[in-house]
Amino acid sequence: MSSSLRFDRGHTDDLMAFLMAGPSPYHAVASAAARLEKAGFRQVEETAAWDGSTGGKYVLRGGAIVAWYVPEGAEAHTPFRIAGAHTDSPNLRVKPLPDTGAYGWRQIAVEVYGGTLLNTWLDRDLGLAGRISLRDGTHRLVNIDRPLLRVPQLAVHLDRSANADGLKLDRQKHMQPIWGLGDVEEGDLIRFVAAEAGVDAEDITGWDLMPHPVEPPSYLGRDRELLAGPRMDNLLSVHAATAALAAVAGRPDAEIPYIPVLAAFDHEENGSQSDTGADGPLLGTVLERSVFARGGTYEDRARAFAGTVCLSSDTGHAIHPNYAERHDPTHHPVINGGPILKVNVNMRYATDGSGRAVFAAACEQAGVPWQTFVSNNSMPCGTTIGPITAARHGIQTVDIGVAILSMHSARELCGADDPHLLATALAAFLAG
């Protein structure tokens, strides 16, 4: 591997900034859009008529973004190259009636979102972020990025079995954060959020709010070869795909034989079944409208989709030194070993031999090392947007990602080299 690919500090530093700027899916897509705007992309509205002009465009819908670049000379049947990812992470979400508490404590009622490791949210300084919906139909992003909430753990003196028998948490009783003292007042939280956002509380008619750890990402290890931070699953992939798309769009159009696409969806952590999830129509609609805006027919759409490939990028499991028996005995993805190819013959991942060849070619072209992940046969295998994308749109899809530890923790761990290696491989793939 070329030494120039090792530990690109600029890319990793930018990832750290991206993680901090993305405490919610809505913030993450806004941050991705801002990066694409700097690369010359422009937003198009779904309710507007689209034209067949060349250049970079993107669509925002809630916590999802789909962006694409049409080079000069692209035909209506030109295939797409898609880098897919998701913007959501397992966390806590504020309930519709948020004000609660007892015994002189003010608390916030939250619901557990996705398969989060509950214990990692205990005794952390938490901020609050998301979006508010206003009476006039508009939305406003909110990010209270300072210590505001805390889920306090029970002292060991009151639970002597916690260390011996394992911590047992009730998702309803034990995960409600405290945020102050006093009597519970209905509407208190939203009045506070309104003041922070600079709007009248009476104008807020809806909200999608979530606590987030305020501790910033940091390098870790003797040689700072590791990176610890929140929401790497899966903002690491969103950031890499955004950087890759912007890099490819900066090349001469004659060098881009495909139409490169970024598709970052919401709600992967709870099944992808929403209008902004991978199991919704968003991606297919955008791709079809792009074909038709360039004068294409249904035949052109079918030809374009038949030649399209998607790399579904999500984090995977690095071998854990304390739990090696939980991993496959012959497949040991390591930190800083390059992106991983994720394989499951029961189609929990969409990779097959043909897809492996596409990924291997991209890595070889980029000079990037890569690894293979499969689950231990005795352990259930997770899944991604990959099989959903393949089945819903009839698009060849390959599951890849970066190997990490502490997946679904409030603070995850990856290698400091791997984010740049992933972005480099994705750029080679998108460029064809």
Side-chain angles (χ1 to χ4, degrees), residues 161-224:
S161 66
N163 288 327
D165 300 331
L167 181 65
K168 296 179 175 61
L169 295 172
D170 184 288
R171 294 160 69 94
Q172 178 61 41
K173 293 194 299 182
H174 300 151
M175 297 306 297
Q176 309 308 312
I178 60 173
W179 77 306
L181 302 173
D183 297 330
V184 177
E185 298 180 20
E186 185 178 351
D188 197 18
L189 177 68
I190 298 308
R191 284 192 293 271
F192 173 79
V193 170
E196 291 285 329
V199 301
D200 292 331
E202 293 75 15
D203 288 335
I204 298 178
T205 55
W207 53 86
D208 301 281
L209 299 170
M210 56 204 74
H212 67 276
V214 298
E215 181 184 5
S218 61
Y219 290 108
L220 187 101
R222 186 194 67 179
D223 298 319
R224 291 162 54 89

Side-chain angles (χ1 to χ4, degrees), residues 17-41:
F18 189 78
L19 294 174
M20 286 297 290
S24 78
Y26 316 107
H27 289 83
V29 298
S31 184
R35 282 165 162 73
L36 292 173
E37 290 272 358
K38 289 182 180 179
F41 285 68

Side-chain angles (χ1 to χ4, degrees), residues 345-359:
V345 295
N346 293 301
M347 288 293 106
R348 299 292 286 173
Y349 303 132
T351 306
D352 62 10
S354 175
R356 173 191 170 103
V358 173
F359 177 65

Side-chain angles (χ1 to χ4, degrees), residues 88-93 111-118 171 267-271 408:
D88 59 320
S89 302
N91 61 4
L92 308 176
R93 303 286 177 103
E111 188 173 0
V112 177
Y113 176 84
T116 186
L117 283 169
L118 296 178
R171 294 160 69 94
H267 302 131
E268 188 272 347
E269 298 293 355
N270 61 6
H408 287 197

Side-chain angles (χ1 to χ4, degrees), residues 8 26 42 58 60 81 113 126 141 190 232 261 320 358 408 423 428-429:
D8 185 301
Y26 316 107
R42 61 182 178 86
Y58 68 90
L60 288 181
R81 281 287 178 100
Y113 176 84
L126 304 174
L141 296 184
I190 298 308
M232 291 186 184
V261 179
H320 197 302
V358 173
H408 287 197
F429 164 74

Side-chain angles (χ1 to χ4, degrees), residues 318-341:
I319 186 165
H320 197 302
N322 298 339
Y323 300 91
E325 73 280 359
R326 301 296 182 98
H327 298 267
D328 182 83
T330 58
H331 294 76
H332 296 158
V334 296
I335 295 289
N336 285 334
I340 55 173
L341 179 75

Side-chain angles (χ1 to χ4, degrees), residues 99-153:
D99 300 295
T100 186
Y103 306 105
W105 293 100
R106 290 185 180 182
Q107 294 175 274
I108 303 302
V110 297
E111 188 173 0
V112 177
Y113 176 84
T116 186
L117 283 169
L118 296 178
N119 65 296
T120 67
W121 286 84
L122 303 179
D123 297 336
R124 287 187 182 272
D125 296 337
L126 304 174
L128 190 68
R131 70 175 181 180
I132 53 177
S133 301
L134 304 180
R135 195 172 301 279
D136 62 4
T138 63
H139 303 287
R140 184 79 60 88
L141 296 184
V142 177
N143 184 11
I144 306 170
D145 194 32
R146 65 177 186 271
L148 179 68
L149 311 170
R150 181 184 176 98
V151 183
Q153 186 167 190

